[in-house]
Amino acid sequence: MTDTTRIKLAVDAMGGDFAPKEIVKGVNLAIKNNPNLELVLYGDESQIKEYLEENERVSIVHCSSKLDMGVKDPIREIRTNKDLSLSKAFQAVHDHECAGAVTCGPTQGVVVAAHMIVKKVPGMQRIALCPIMPEFGGKSRLLLDVGANVELRPEHIVQIAHFASVYLKESNGVENPLVGLVNIGSEPGKGREVDKETYEALKNDPQINFFGNIEPKEMFFSDCDILVTDGYCGNLVLKTLEGTAKAVGKELEKAIKSSFWSSLGYVLFMKGAMKKFKKKVSGDDVGGALLFGVDGVIVKSHGSSNAYTFSKAIERCAMGVRGNYVEVMKQRLSAESSDQNQDK
Amino acid sequence: MTDTTRIKLAVDAMGGDFAPKEIVKGVNLAIKNNPNLELVLYGDESQIKEYLEENERVSIVHCSSKLDMGVKDPIREIRTNKDLSLSKAFQAVHDHECAGAVTCGPTQGVVVAAHMIVKKVPGMQRIALCPIMPEFGGKSRLLLDVGANVELRPEHIVQIAHFASVYLKESNGVENPLVGLVNIGSEPGKGREVDKETYEALKNDPQINFFGNIEPKEMFFSDCDILVTDGYCGNLVLKTLEGTAKAVGKELEKAIKSSFWSSLGYVLFMKGAMKKFKKKVSGDDVGGALLFGVDGVIVKSHGSSNAYTFSKAIERCAMGVRGNYVEVMKQRLSAESSDQNQDK
């Protein structure tokens, strides 16, 4: 498969705080920048048309409803309402009409809908939400799970580490990705019982290039490509990262504004550098989180995504489709399962 | 008790990466800045004397050995070696020769030694390590536990929330400190089973001013004074905070150096502002972590502390002694225990 292959993706045009406006503008941007991309938008047709720049590579499938950001019971909503833009976009992936889907919908709803509609790859025990972290130190890293599962057993973590390793190899060309286990100390034997067992399981797996335990204070300075943990801890790490980056940014602003001279210096010389810095720290270029374990490339972008961020999420999804990692992982799991059957 | 009361503290002069040099220099600084402070240094007398400025308020108790930073089995070491500088400093607190102690020793060793030598306040079920976080947004906050216990039951978390509340009221004059439960979502019912139970226990406790769940991305922007969680999660949050602040700082440096004009602007106008910013973010002013639950004011400063940081840790310890929070908590626990006995 080469870069000229046309890739068709489903877009949930109604998910997120600024839908459909920013979503559709993101679609316009992605279509302009990626000549081989074809997008199907799911949502309110008249609202979408207000912002959509006409293009033969974009079509609309009208949906009468959407999954609200504050939805209390997404499972019930997804079960009972068959005309949700999110569900219909995911159905298109399940039916192989589209190769992947992108949404800014509420995380829990996206995870549930992926489970129920796209469905897990046969043999996968859990699905995992995997954001790409800001590229500090010029290196991109995956952290997972960050919230699809509150708790995970060691064998689940090993399996999602496989999935992430296959993704990085197939889609990003990273040979032998290095996997670290998020923990409170770097020595073996640190952490909770589940961490000690997971450490042993990862260490003894011949298909995983295991780094060992990694403390979060080192995560941006190590060679690890993939950081694994359960959904509860991963979510804490991710949200602490977000909160700290935001707080540090605000302190920086305050420091600059604290004197006449530094304010002047900022305006005269530093605006460009600061803009670059802010963009890096905000993670706008990252393009959302991937949902690993389901039978399709699903990208969940921030609820607060703007057009630029959303266009990057679409590109991330296309990159995943091009890498074909879901197929590779499917074949591996199917081979393992037939090995196990022969062993019996 | 007024500020003119003399306060006598024990200092482990041999703990940390730069001991005894930076420790002793920190002692010199603290003695100069705090006329009512008296310090007893525990460690190698001849090494200490190399750096110590003579003062009638400083004395030395010679100790032949120290707890190494990389010690594999601190429990055994503390049990068998009675001449460790850390142990002797803690013994002085237990014997009421000193009102509190300050050390840069290895965290696990400090926790174990506090348990074994200083001992828990009667009625306390667990001890907790409680760092003061960087003062983002002009507000100081406590996070605990960050590693004294890997796992905690709801009743333990409630008790350490009491301890922290009493500390903030007595030592910092915060009336009715607001307590938040660190969690992956703000709504009730989020998180692991233990989080749900802890939520109910905190909510139903009349002595706790409960905020509800707090996500780490909001922790620097909320009114919470105290953030509670178990030692595993607290440690992850703390270390993610450290790692992110460091990574963001490095990115900022890179952004500034990326062009001639911003480098020039930095040198001409912004050095002062940046210095202020770096100091704030590094947390050097914070002065270490407190050990709650033991019968004495124990401050553990970073292993990498320099003289300035260590002097701030000494001041934090003196402030705790002045606040008398350990006594207040002791009385409360003793009253609770006699209430319970009467109920029987």
Side-chain angles (χ1 to χ4, degrees), chain A residues 108 135-138 150-151 182-185 190-193 195 215-221 229 231-233 235-237 239-248 250-252 254-256 258-259 261-262 264-266 268-270 273-274 276-277 280-281, chain B residues 108 135-138 150-151 182-185 190-193 195 215-221 229 231-233 235-237 239-248 250-252 254-256 258-259 261-262 264-266 268-270 273-274 276-277 280-281:
Chain A
Q108 213 199 334
E135 272 191 30
F136 293 136
V150 170
E151 282 166 291
V182 174
N183 207 335
I184 58 170
K190 283 280 175 181
R192 305 161 300 180
E193 275 315 308
D195 303 307
E215 294 182 87
K217 69 177 172 181
E218 298 302 331
M219 65 185 172
F220 297 119
F221 310 100
T229 180
Y232 187 84
C233 292
N235 197 286
L236 286 188
V237 167
K239 284 182 175 157
T240 304
L241 191 168
E242 282 177 27
T244 306
K246 198 170 148 196
V248 167
K250 275 192 194 290
E251 289 303 324
L252 176 62
K254 222 160 62 186
I256 290 170
S258 67
S259 90
W261 290 112
S262 63
L264 182 69
Y266 175 76
L268 290 178
F269 299 102
M270 304 203 54
M274 285 300 158
K276 224 196 268 177
F277 165 73
K280 166 75 65 94
V281 169
Chain B
Q108 213 199 334
E135 272 192 30
F136 293 135
V150 171
E151 282 166 290
V182 175
N183 206 335
I184 58 171
K190 283 279 175 182
R192 305 162 299 180
E193 276 316 307
D195 303 307
E215 293 181 88
K217 70 177 170 181
E218 298 301 332
M219 65 185 170
F220 297 120
F221 310 101
T229 181
Y232 187 83
C233 292
N235 197 286
L236 286 187
V237 167
K239 283 179 176 158
T240 304
L241 192 168
E242 283 178 25
T244 306
K246 197 170 148 196
V248 167
K250 275 193 195 292
E251 289 302 323
L252 176 62
K254 222 160 62 187
I256 290 171
S258 67
S259 91
W261 290 111
S262 64
L264 182 69
Y266 177 77
L268 290 179
F269 298 103
M270 304 202 53
M274 285 301 160
K276 225 197 266 181
F277 166 73
K280 166 73 66 94
V281 169

Side-chain angles (χ1 to χ4, degrees), chain B residues 73-299:
Chain B
D73 188 351
I75 301 182
R76 190 193 153 91
E77 186 67 13
I78 291 161
R79 273 226 177 92
T80 53
N81 187 340
K82 295 293 169 202
D83 208 38
L84 294 170
S85 59
L86 174 68
S87 301
K88 286 181 111 174
F90 279 10
Q91 190 64 46
V93 177
H94 178 260
D95 297 345
H96 303 292
E97 282 165 28
C98 292
V102 192
T103 178
C104 293
T107 305
Q108 213 199 334
V110 171
V111 171
V112 167
H115 246 300
M116 289 169 56
I117 301 167
V118 185
K119 295 194 167 71
K120 282 187 295 192
V121 168
M124 275 302 287
Q125 298 179 284
R126 290 286 184 279
I127 66 177
L129 196 61
C130 174
I132 294 103
M133 295 198 289
E135 272 192 30
F136 293 135
K139 188 175 170 67
S140 148
R141 291 175 189 89
L142 304 179
L143 171 70
L144 74 170
D145 173 30
V146 301
N149 318 268
V150 171
E151 282 166 290
L152 284 171
R153 291 206 306 271
E155 62 268 30
H156 301 151
I157 294 187
V158 169
Q159 218 183 26
I160 63 176
H162 281 178
F163 215 106
S165 298
V166 166
Y167 167 77
L168 274 190
K169 179 166 188 296
E170 304 300 329
S171 288
N172 291 30
V174 180
E175 284 300 329
N176 232 359
L178 195 58
V179 176
L181 175 64
V182 175
N183 206 335
I184 58 171
S186 54
E187 310 87 1
K190 283 279 175 182
R192 305 162 299 180
E193 276 316 307
V194 65
D195 303 307
K196 294 173 197 171
E197 287 169 32
T198 306
Y199 182 98
E200 290 303 318
L202 288 166
K203 199 181 83 176
N204 295 325
D205 190 307
Q207 286 180 303
I208 284 174
N209 183 16
F210 187 44
F211 170 84
N213 287 326
I214 175 118
E215 293 181 88
K217 70 177 170 181
E218 298 301 332
M219 65 185 170
F220 297 120
F221 310 101
S222 87
D223 289 329
C224 286
D225 301 292
I226 298 165
L227 307 164
V228 288
T229 181
D230 63 52
Y232 187 83
C233 292
N235 197 286
L236 286 187
V237 167
L238 183 70
K239 283 179 176 158
T240 304
L241 192 168
E242 283 178 25
T244 306
K246 197 170 148 196
V248 167
K250 275 193 195 292
E251 289 302 323
L252 176 62
E253 218 165 280
K254 222 160 62 187
I256 290 171
K257 286 181 183 157
S258 67
S259 91
F260 170 74
W261 290 111
S262 64
S263 303
L264 182 69
Y266 177 77
V267 172
L268 290 179
F269 298 103
M270 304 202 53
K271 257 191 153 163
M274 285 301 160
K275 216 176 144 183
K276 225 197 266 181
F277 166 73
K278 274 193 177 168
K279 207 175 149 191
K280 166 73 66 94
V281 169
S282 76
D284 278 355
D285 268 331
V286 164
L290 289 141
L291 209 55
F292 286 151
V294 289
D295 195 0
V297 180
I298 305 293
V299 173

Side-chain angles (χ1 to χ4, degrees), chain B residues 3-22:
Chain B
D3 275 9
T4 56
T5 317
R6 194 170 264 211
I7 286 175
K8 189 174 171 186
L9 303 178
V11 170
D12 168 16
M14 309 308 283
D17 303 332
F18 309 115
K21 185 177 172 188
E22 293 297 319

